[in-house]
């Protein structure tokens, strides 16, 4: 029946949870975790001084002593025992309870007898000593920890274990002296003392050391790293919501925790005590600044009040005398704790309203930190046992990790947003590229069409200027007189040469001068043979011309054609020499056409139908060539020399 009832209730709970939104489940779990850890710390936190059932069966707990305060540090244990004076106290004992303001050394005298039902002791375990201690057993020193004079070693949070030979003990009337050195206004004193077997007490000592020293060291290191991360990266993104103040508060917290595990501090005791007390106020100020800014509240007067509060506590702590510093510091720090708790509750309320997972996690972790800090403050004020392990440094880990998680989560969201923006921009860019490509193809098609149209116009113009001009001239002469067969053949040959030149200009190899000249030679070879002219071809290798258009090459061939035409018509020559020479130093080609005819080819009676020397000069100038005229072969005839830059000069 019980099993059925349990299963029924489990099913009911599961059904209720399944109907609840995920945020409400997370919110409840985080609050339950914070309150549960606080309850555990309040009632079940590690308490090494109490021991356990095994310890009670094997070892003896000593909690009665007589204490004598001794300002001179050179008093001996025997002298103190001989005096036989002291105040009876119950351990744990703090000097401020029975001798306020005392600073120096206190001797605790503990009398005990051996329990025949327990193993013979061989170790002494001191869970709590503030600051340092030396232990004597039946007049023999068995160990100690820390300096006893001058600047004391800070061993206030270190447990101590001291083994000794069992032969030192007596069956009854054993006397243990614990010499404690401490500062005033520092809760100096001695906790309860365990005497028993080393193996059993070593277990307690190790547990205490892990919680009080090793754990504090790790927690401080984690806090330091998290604080640095928060301070360095909180400003990297927009809307940081005061995370930089949380990072500064964490670093301040790390400074305070330094004294938990380190027996040395960079400042003297008085100055370090002032720094630690002041750090509490600054932590409260920075933490409050973070909560206000994170919730998005302006509250400028309240933020200014927190700064003024921290500054005033600093001044009062420094100005007040050492005896009253701790009391006044506790009085000044205590009121701000409820204020921070109210801000934290407001943050949790805001998280509930906004269904913010981030605010829920951060608010729950800060609530846990505040509750355990208040619990540690009660320990320091003596409202809770002084031997209990302090816990706020451990609860801070959760808060510090929460802050870093918030920061990293925001970076992740920023990164995801950036990736989305990049994808959107890439999509827009691809769309724009497609548009540009389409426009480019359209423009290229238009340009190609324009080039074709211009090429057609050029060919038509060349045919018009060459073939058309020759035909018009021939037609004009036939109207005035009858042409002979030779004249008719000459006119038709000129027209055919002009037509072939126009066709040659369309060759895709038009930038290769030697290829064009070779084609020209092939076309003129028959005509030269019929005229009885021999052609000497003296052409060497030459580079390809650069930036010359087909129109430019056509004009160059026109000059060559004009020179050959003049030789055929007027020179009465028997030999023509065409040479091409490459000048590497000047980056020039030299094209020479020389004959052995009758000198100047121009005939004033024959205007050469537009193909005179003047036209040759105009063509050469238009395409950036140098043209010079001179004597031909062996000082006879006529010579045309063209200088052609390898790269077109415009």
């Amino acid at each position: 029946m019980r099993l059925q009832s349990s299963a029924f209730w489990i099913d009911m709970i599961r059904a209720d949870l399944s109907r609840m939104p995920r945020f409400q489940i997370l919110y409840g779990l985080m609050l339950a975790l914070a309150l549960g850890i606080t309850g555990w710390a309040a009632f079940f936190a590690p308490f090494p001084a109490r021991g356990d059932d095994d310890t009670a069966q094997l070892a003896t707990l000593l909690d009665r002593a007589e204490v004598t305060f001794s300002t001179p540090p050179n008093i001996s244990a025997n002298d103190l025992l001989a005096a036989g004076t002291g105040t009876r106290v119950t351990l744990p004992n703090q000097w401020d309870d029975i001798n306020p303001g005392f600073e120096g050394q206190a001797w605790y005298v503990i009398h005990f007898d051996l329990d025949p039902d327990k193993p013979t002791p061989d170790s002494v375990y001191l869970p709590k000593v503030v600051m340092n201690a030396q232990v004597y057993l039946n007049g023999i020193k068995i160990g100690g920890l820390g300096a006893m004079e001058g600047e004391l070693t800070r061993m206030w949070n270190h447990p101590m274990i001291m083994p000794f030979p069992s032969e030192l003990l007596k069956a009854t009337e054993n006397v243990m002296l614990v010499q404690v050195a401490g500062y005033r206004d520092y809760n100096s004193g001695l906790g309860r003392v365990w005497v028993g077997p080393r193996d059993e007490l070593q277990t307690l000592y190790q547990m205490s050391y892990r919680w009080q020293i090793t754990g504090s060291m790790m927690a401080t290191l984690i806090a330091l790293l998290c604080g640095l991360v928060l301070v360095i990266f909180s400003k990297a993104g927009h809307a940081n919501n005061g995370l930089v103040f949380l990072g500064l508060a964490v670093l301040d917290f790390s400074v305070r925790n330094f004294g938990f595990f380190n027996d040395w501090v960079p400042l003297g005791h008085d100055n370090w005590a002032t720094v630690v007390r002041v750090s509490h106020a600054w932590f409260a100020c920075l933490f409050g600044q973070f909560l206000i800014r994170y919730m998005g509240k302006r509250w400028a007067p309240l933020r200014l009040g927190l700064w003024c509060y921290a500054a005033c506590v600093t001044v009062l702590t420094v100005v007040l005398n050492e005896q009253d510093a701790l009391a006044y510091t506790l009085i000044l720090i205590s009121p701000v704790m409820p204020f921070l708790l109210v801000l934290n509750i407001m943050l949790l309320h805001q998280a509930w309203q906004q269904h913010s997972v981030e605010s829920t996690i951060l608010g729950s972790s800060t609530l846990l930190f505040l509750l355990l800090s208040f619990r540690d403050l009660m320990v320091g004020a003596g409202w809770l046992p002084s031997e209990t392990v302090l816990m706020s440094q451990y609860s801070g880990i959760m808060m510090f990790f929460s802050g870093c998680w918030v920061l990293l989560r925001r970076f992740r969201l920023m990164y995801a947003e950036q990736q989305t923006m990049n994808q959107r921009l890439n999509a827009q860019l691809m769309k724009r590229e497609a548009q540009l490509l389409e426009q480019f193809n359209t423009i290229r098609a238009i340009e190609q069409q324009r080039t074709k149209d211009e090429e057609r116009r050029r060919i038509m113009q060349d045919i018009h200027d060459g073939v058309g001009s020759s035909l018009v001239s021939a037609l004009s002469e036939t109207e005035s007189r009858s042409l002979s067969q030779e004249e008719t053949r000459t006119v038709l040959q000129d027209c055919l040469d002009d037509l072939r030149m126009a066709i040659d200009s369309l060759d895709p190899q038009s930038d290769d001068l030697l290829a064009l000249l070779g084609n020209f030679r092939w076309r003129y070879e028959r005509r030269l043979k019929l005229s009885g002219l021999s052609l000497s071809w003296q052409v060497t290798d030459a580079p390809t011309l650069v930036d010359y258009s087909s129109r430019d090459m056509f004009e160059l061939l026109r000059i060559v054609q004009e020179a050959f035409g003049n030789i055929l018509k007027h020179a009465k020559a028997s030999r023509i020499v065409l040479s091409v020479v490459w000048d590497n130093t000047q980056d020039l080609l030299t094209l020479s056409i020389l004959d052995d005819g009758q000198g100047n080819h121009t005939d004033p009676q024959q205007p050469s139908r537009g193909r005179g020397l003047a036209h040759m000069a105009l063509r050469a100038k238009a395409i950036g060539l140098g043209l010079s005229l001179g004597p031909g072969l062996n000082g006879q005839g006529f010579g045309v020399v063209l200088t052609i830059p390898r790269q077109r000069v415009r």
Side-chain angles (χ1 to χ4, degrees), residues 566-640:
N566 288 337
I567 294 173
L568 289 172
K569 294 177 183 179
H570 310 294
K572 298 179 181 180
S574 61
R575 185 183 176 206
I576 301 176
V577 177
L578 186 147
S579 64
V580 177
V581 179
W582 163 244
D583 187 349
N584 187 34
T585 58
Q586 298 185 7
D587 205 21
L588 292 174
L589 282 170
T590 302
L591 173 62
S592 302
I593 304 173
L594 307 177
D595 66 73
D596 58 354
Q598 297 180 354
N600 195 336
H601 300 166
T602 58
D603 185 352
Q605 304 301 325
Q606 295 277 347
S608 300
R609 300 180 183 91
R611 297 183 180 87
L613 295 177
H615 286 179
M616 294 171 63
L618 289 175
R619 294 180 191 276
K621 182 178 181 181
I623 59 177
L625 307 182
L627 175 66
S628 61
L629 307 174
L633 295 173
N634 301 323
Q636 298 179 357
F638 192 72
V640 177

Side-chain angles (χ1 to χ4, degrees), residues 298-589:
R298 295 185 179 276
W299 294 352
L302 192 57
R303 297 202 308 267
L304 179 61
L306 286 172
W307 293 117
C308 294
Y309 159 78
C312 291
V313 171
T314 302
V315 173
L316 289 174
T317 304
V318 173
V319 171
L320 290 175
N321 60 68
E322 298 177 8
Q323 181 177 355
D324 299 329
L326 178 60
Y328 278 99
T329 303
L330 290 175
I331 293 174
L332 293 172
I333 291 177
S334 297
V336 80
M337 295 296 291
F339 170 72
L340 295 179
L341 185 60
V342 170
L343 290 179
N344 202 104
I345 294 174
M346 292 178 62
L347 174 60
L348 289 171
H349 178 68
Q350 185 183 78
W352 176 263
Q353 288 184 327
Q354 299 177 355
H355 283 205
S356 173
V357 175
E358 178 182 296
S359 299
T360 299
I361 294 176
L362 198 56
S364 300
S365 60
T366 53
L367 176 64
L368 174 62
F369 175 78
L370 288 175
L371 292 176
L372 291 187
S373 296
F374 182 73
R375 178 253 188 194
D376 287 357
L377 187 64
M378 295 174 66
V379 172
W383 299 337
L384 291 177
S386 61
E387 295 171 311
T388 184
V389 175
L390 300 178
M391 299 297 295
S392 60
Q393 64 269 30
Y394 295 102
S395 63
I397 296 176
M398 183 177 175
M399 182 184 68
F400 308 149
F401 274 131
S402 299
C404 290
W405 176 81
V406 169
L407 188 62
L408 294 177
R409 176 177 177 272
R410 292 184 179 183
F411 271 99
R412 182 179 62 82
L413 294 176
M414 290 174 59
Y415 178 76
E417 182 181 356
Q418 184 180 14
Q419 292 293 101
T420 303
M421 292 179 61
N422 289 339
Q423 293 176 358
R424 189 181 299 116
L425 289 176
N426 287 335
Q428 294 178 355
L429 181 60
M430 293 177 63
K431 182 179 178 180
R432 184 59 179 168
E433 285 180 350
Q435 294 175 350
L436 291 176
L437 181 60
E438 182 180 358
Q439 293 177 1
F440 172 76
N441 291 333
T442 303
I443 294 173
R444 184 173 62 176
I446 295 173
E447 184 67 21
Q448 290 175 348
Q449 186 63 38
R450 186 184 66 82
T451 302
K452 291 178 181 179
D453 293 341
E454 289 189 357
E455 191 67 16
R456 292 191 186 102
R457 284 194 294 270
R458 182 187 69 79
I459 295 172
M460 293 173 61
Q461 186 67 36
D462 291 341
I463 294 174
H464 176 271
D465 293 343
V467 179
S469 178
S470 298
L471 292 175
V472 169
S473 299
L475 180 61
S476 178
E477 289 189 11
T478 57
E479 290 176 350
S480 60
R481 64 182 182 87
S482 299
L483 297 178
S484 64
Q485 184 179 0
E486 180 64 24
E487 290 176 334
T488 302
R489 188 186 68 79
T490 301
V491 169
L492 294 176
Q493 185 66 48
D494 289 343
C495 292
L496 184 59
D497 290 341
D498 287 336
L499 183 60
R500 287 173 175 171
M501 289 285 292
I503 294 173
D504 289 344
S505 67
L506 300 177
D507 187 357
Q509 301 295 330
S510 59
D511 56 351
D512 190 344
L513 177 62
L514 299 185
L516 292 175
L517 291 176
N519 197 19
F520 175 83
R521 176 187 178 184
W522 177 76
R523 293 187 182 281
Y524 258 76
E525 189 170 7
R526 181 176 176 276
R527 189 174 179 183
L528 292 175
K529 287 182 179 181
L530 292 175
S531 301
L533 286 170
S534 64
L535 176 61
S536 178
W537 192 265
Q538 301 176 2
V539 177
T540 59
D541 290 336
T544 302
L545 300 180
V546 180
D547 290 340
Y548 285 85
S549 66
S550 58
R551 179 72 182 180
D552 297 335
M553 301 305 294
F554 179 74
E555 295 294 340
L556 191 153
L557 288 178
R558 276 296 184 92
I559 296 173
V560 175
Q561 182 189 22
E562 190 75 31
F564 272 74
N566 288 337
I567 294 173
L568 289 172
K569 294 177 183 179
H570 310 294
K572 298 179 181 180
S574 61
R575 185 183 176 206
I576 301 176
V577 177
L578 186 147
S579 64
V580 177
V581 179
W582 163 244
D583 187 349
N584 187 34
T585 58
Q586 298 185 7
D587 205 21
L588 292 174
L589 282 170

Side-chain angles (χ1 to χ4, degrees), residues 168-388:
L168 291 180
L169 294 175
K170 298 181 292 185
T172 58
E173 298 183 359
N174 293 288
V175 179
M176 180 187 304
L177 264 67
V178 182
Q179 182 186 9
V180 178
Y183 290 114
R184 61 182 176 184
D185 194 32
Y186 217 80
N187 289 337
S188 297
L190 177 65
R192 288 175 288 184
V193 180
W194 282 96
V195 178
R198 182 175 181 180
D199 293 340
E200 180 64 28
L201 297 184
Q202 185 72 25
T203 302
L204 289 179
Y205 169 78
Q206 291 175 351
M207 181 182 68
S208 179
Y209 194 90
R210 282 195 299 267
W211 278 99
Q212 296 174 208
I213 305 301
T214 306
S216 298
M217 186 185 305
M218 296 301 297
T220 301
L221 179 61
I222 293 173
L224 181 62
L225 294 177
C226 294
L228 290 175
V229 170
L230 288 171
V231 171
I232 293 174
F233 294 103
S234 61
K235 287 295 185 179
H238 56 81
N240 62 82
N241 298 110
L243 287 176
V244 65
F245 290 103
L246 179 60
L248 292 174
V250 170
L251 293 179
D252 177 271
F253 182 82
S254 302
V255 172
R256 189 209 70 158
N257 286 356
F258 184 79
F260 274 73
F261 56 88
N262 205 323
D263 58 1
W264 170 86
V265 291
L267 304 174
H269 167 74
D270 295 338
N271 294 329
W272 179 254
T274 300
V275 168
V276 171
R277 292 162 184 166
V278 168
S279 69
H280 289 83
W282 282 103
F283 178 86
C285 171
L286 294 170
F287 190 68
Q289 297 285 348
F290 157 69
L291 290 175
I292 293 173
R293 292 175 183 268
Y294 184 81
M295 290 188 293
K297 308 296 183 181
R298 295 185 179 276
W299 294 352
L302 192 57
R303 297 202 308 267
L304 179 61
L306 286 172
W307 293 117
C308 294
Y309 159 78
C312 291
V313 171
T314 302
V315 173
L316 289 174
T317 304
V318 173
V319 171
L320 290 175
N321 60 68
E322 298 177 8
Q323 181 177 355
D324 299 329
L326 178 60
Y328 278 99
T329 303
L330 290 175
I331 293 174
L332 293 172
I333 291 177
S334 297
V336 80
M337 295 296 291
F339 170 72
L340 295 179
L341 185 60
V342 170
L343 290 179
N344 202 104
I345 294 174
M346 292 178 62
L347 174 60
L348 289 171
H349 178 68
Q350 185 183 78
W352 176 263
Q353 288 184 327
Q354 299 177 355
H355 283 205
S356 173
V357 175
E358 178 182 296
S359 299
T360 299
I361 294 176
L362 198 56
S364 300
S365 60
T366 53
L367 176 64
L368 174 62
F369 175 78
L370 288 175
L371 292 176
L372 291 187
S373 296
F374 182 73
R375 178 253 188 194
D376 287 357
L377 187 64
M378 295 174 66
V379 172
W383 299 337
L384 291 177
S386 61
E387 295 171 311
T388 184

